[in-house]
């Protein structure tokens, strides 16, 4: 683990939920790794398993109804699945931190910002009350909140959505974690604040050397933020590749659909923006074969009857598709055509 600089290795992760409607395979055999100092993007439509995979890494799956049924979660050489809950708590918030999707529900509305920010450093770093307060003010300034000395005693409802998200980032970074998981950190924020939050995460990563997992449904968000991207669908990894390669030459019809759905300034006026037909599947009752086949415009009989293999395009690029190499070659030809214009 130390030799190749890998900070996190997730291998064959399966997280299932037992419900009245059946077993929901929210995460079904996910494998990926993350090197120190890198940023990994995990993208996909709502319900694809992105957040559940990362809550599993944090050991935050509520049992019941959920359970991690198989797989390994190796963080810096330690199998997190084999740790007792007290040992997990020593890592969670200290070495692995998470920015949750909705800061209004993640922050306790009845506690002041100072109480919530100082709790983490008093617990993990052994700070005194005064040390914790001084550190919390420093972190608020770091994430761009002005008048931090006064605002630290405010309550979540006194902050705007963007400011609450900054507080969440300050809380997550308070103990200088080695791994930061950002789950849809720009959801429900306006475009200007989105750009500021993403730039803040990028800047803090450069300054502190933190490894980052950025979860989003929007490929446009991860374009300039990540080194590698994983595309998830129906609890599975459908494609993984370096960011530039995935954008230039996707090898999966689902990835191509997501890319076509990203708004383009050159989009022809009056023409509807592309959207993938149909809806994501019910992961408690998946169809036979490829889960994306009912929505795929190039699906063949084999797609509807047999689960596709995870095809290697090259050493760092893989795609879950019976026709991955053909899709990849089509993407190369399209890229060459665009370059020739």
């Amino acid at each position: 683990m130390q030799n190749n600089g890998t900070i996190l290795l997730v291998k064959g992760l399966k997280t299932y939920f037992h419900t009245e409607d059946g077993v929901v395979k929210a995460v079904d055999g996910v494998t990926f790794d993350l090197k120190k100092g890198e940023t990994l993007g995990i993208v996909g439509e709502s319900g694809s398993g992105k957040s559940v995979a990362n809550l599993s890494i944090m050991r935050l799956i509520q049992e019941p109804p959920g359970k991690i049924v198989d797989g390994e979660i190796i963080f810096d050489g330690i199998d997190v699945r084999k740790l007792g809950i007290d040992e997990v708590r020593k890592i969670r918030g200290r070495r692995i931190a998470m920015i949750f999707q909705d800061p209004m529900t993640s922050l306790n509305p009845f506690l002041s910002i100072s109480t919530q920010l100082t709790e983490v450093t008093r617990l993990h770093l052994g700070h005194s009350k005064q040390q914790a307060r001084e550190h919390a003010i420093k972190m608020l300034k770091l994430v761009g909140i002005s008048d931090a000395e006064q605002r630290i005693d405010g309550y979540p409802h006194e902050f705007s959505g963007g400011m609450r998200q900054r507080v969440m980032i300050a809380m997550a970074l308070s103990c200088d974690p080695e791994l930061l998981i950002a789950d849809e950190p720009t959801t429900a924020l306006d475009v200007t604040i989105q750009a500021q939050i993403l730039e803040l995460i990028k800047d803090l990563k450069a300054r502190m050397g933190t490894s980052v997992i950025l979860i989003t449904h929007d490929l446009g968000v991860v374009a300039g933020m990540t080194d590698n991207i994983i595309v998830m669908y129906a609890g599975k990894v459908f494609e993984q590749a370096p960011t530039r390669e995935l954008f230039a030459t996707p090898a999966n019809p689902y990835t191509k659909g997501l890319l076509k759905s990203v708004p383009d300034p050159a989009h022809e006026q009056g023409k509807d923006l592309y959207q993938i037909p149909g809806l994501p599947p019910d992961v408690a009752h998946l169809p036979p074969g490829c889960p994306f086949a009912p929505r795929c415009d190039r699906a063949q009989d084999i797609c509807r009857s047999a689960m596709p293999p995870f095809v290697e395009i090259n050493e760092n690029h893989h795609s879950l598709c019976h026709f991955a190499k053909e899709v990849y070659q089509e993407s190369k030809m399209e890229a060459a055509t665009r370059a020739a214009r």
Side-chain angles (χ1 to χ4, degrees):
M1 294 290 293
Q2 297 295 329
N3 293 337
N4 64 2
T6 300
I7 188 71
L8 178 69
L9 172 63
V10 175
K11 189 174 181 181
L13 180 64
K14 295 183 179 181
T15 303
Y16 296 170
F17 291 83
H18 294 267
T19 71
E20 293 180 357
D21 293 329
V23 178
V24 176
K25 298 180 179 180
V27 175
D28 195 18
V30 167
T31 296
F32 65 86
D33 62 49
L34 175 68
K35 291 183 171 54
K36 293 180 180 179
E38 283 190 346
T39 298
L40 172 70
I42 301 182
V43 301
E45 294 170 294
S46 296
S48 60
K50 310 182 300 295
S51 295
V52 173
N54 286 279
L55 288 171
S56 300
I57 293 169
M58 297 282 286
R59 290 278 300 273
L60 287 173
I61 299 297
Q62 185 175 343
E63 299 186 27
K67 188 175 182 179
I68 302 172
V69 299
D70 199 8
E72 296 177 300
I73 304 166
I74 311 296
F75 173 71
D76 199 23
I78 303 166
D79 191 341
V80 178
R81 278 200 68 199
K82 294 180 179 177
L83 297 180
I85 191 61
D86 289 337
E87 294 172 297
V88 172
R89 283 174 179 157
K90 290 177 183 177
I91 293 176
R92 188 194 298 148
R94 174 66 182 92
R95 301 186 66 192
I96 306 175
M98 190 166 188
I99 303 169
F100 293 93
Q101 191 169 137
D102 184 355
M104 197 60 221
T105 56
S106 301
L107 293 170
N108 190 322
F110 298 104
L111 297 178
S112 67
I113 296 301
S114 62
T115 300
Q116 298 183 65
L117 269 179
T118 57
E119 181 182 35
V120 65
T121 55
R122 296 191 71 181
L123 175 66
H124 289 298
L125 302 182
H127 280 180
S128 67
K129 189 174 182 179
Q130 184 59 33
Q131 286 175 321
R133 183 179 176 84
E134 290 173 358
H135 186 74
I137 291 170
K138 174 187 168 185
M139 293 306 299
L140 289 179
K141 289 179 178 178
L142 183 66
V143 298
I145 293 180
S146 57
D147 300 323
E149 290 87 352
Q150 287 73 44
R151 303 213 68 182
I152 191 171
D153 293 313
Y155 287 80
H157 72 272
E158 298 175 309
F159 287 70
S160 68
M163 289 295 106
R164 286 195 294 266
Q165 194 64 285
R166 288 169 187 264
V167 170
M168 286 295 301
I169 295 172
M171 190 182 300
L173 294 173
S174 285
C175 295
D176 293 341
E178 295 150 67
L179 171 60
L180 176 66
I181 301 172
D183 187 359
E184 301 272 12
T186 59
T187 296
L189 301 179
D190 63 63
V191 176
T192 304
I193 301 299
Q194 281 187 26
Q196 290 176 2
I197 294 295
L198 292 173
E199 194 59 37
L200 174 62
I201 293 172
K202 194 174 181 180
D203 180 54
L204 291 172
K205 176 208 165 193
R207 273 196 264 173
M208 302 169 76
T210 307
S211 302
V212 178
I213 295 177
L214 179 60
I215 307 165
T216 179
H217 62 274
D218 186 352
L219 269 165
V221 167
V222 296
M225 288 282 296
T226 59
D227 301 294
N228 298 286
I229 292 178
I230 287 173
V231 180
M232 287 190 66
Y233 186 79
K236 296 182 180 295
V237 175
F238 258 53
E239 186 165 8
Q240 59 184 41
T243 301
R244 283 190 177 184
E245 183 169 342
L246 185 126
F247 272 81
T249 52
N252 194 288
Y254 177 58
T255 307
K256 293 190 76 168
L258 289 177
L259 287 168
K260 285 173 68 177
S261 303
V262 176
D264 184 348
H267 184 74
E268 186 179 334
Q269 189 173 2
K271 187 176 180 182
D272 291 340
L273 183 67
Y274 176 82
Q275 60 181 358
I276 300 172
L279 296 171
D282 177 359
V283 287
H285 304 94
L286 288 173
C290 175
F292 187 61
R295 307 173 69 190
C296 183
D297 58 7
R298 63 175 302 144
Q300 305 294 318
D301 288 342
I302 189 172
C303 305
R304 301 181 185 93
S305 59
M307 177 61 71
F310 204 48
V311 178
E312 180 178 303
I313 305 300
N314 57 52
E315 185 182 359
N316 299 310
H317 191 170
H318 298 77
S319 173
L320 189 77
C321 180
H322 289 291
F323 303 101
K325 291 188 176 179
E326 289 90 332
V327 175
Y328 176 70
Q329 290 302 324
E330 290 170 8
S331 296
K332 283 185 73 173
M333 292 175 63
E334 291 166 2
T337 302
R338 288 194 299 271
R341 286 175 185 167

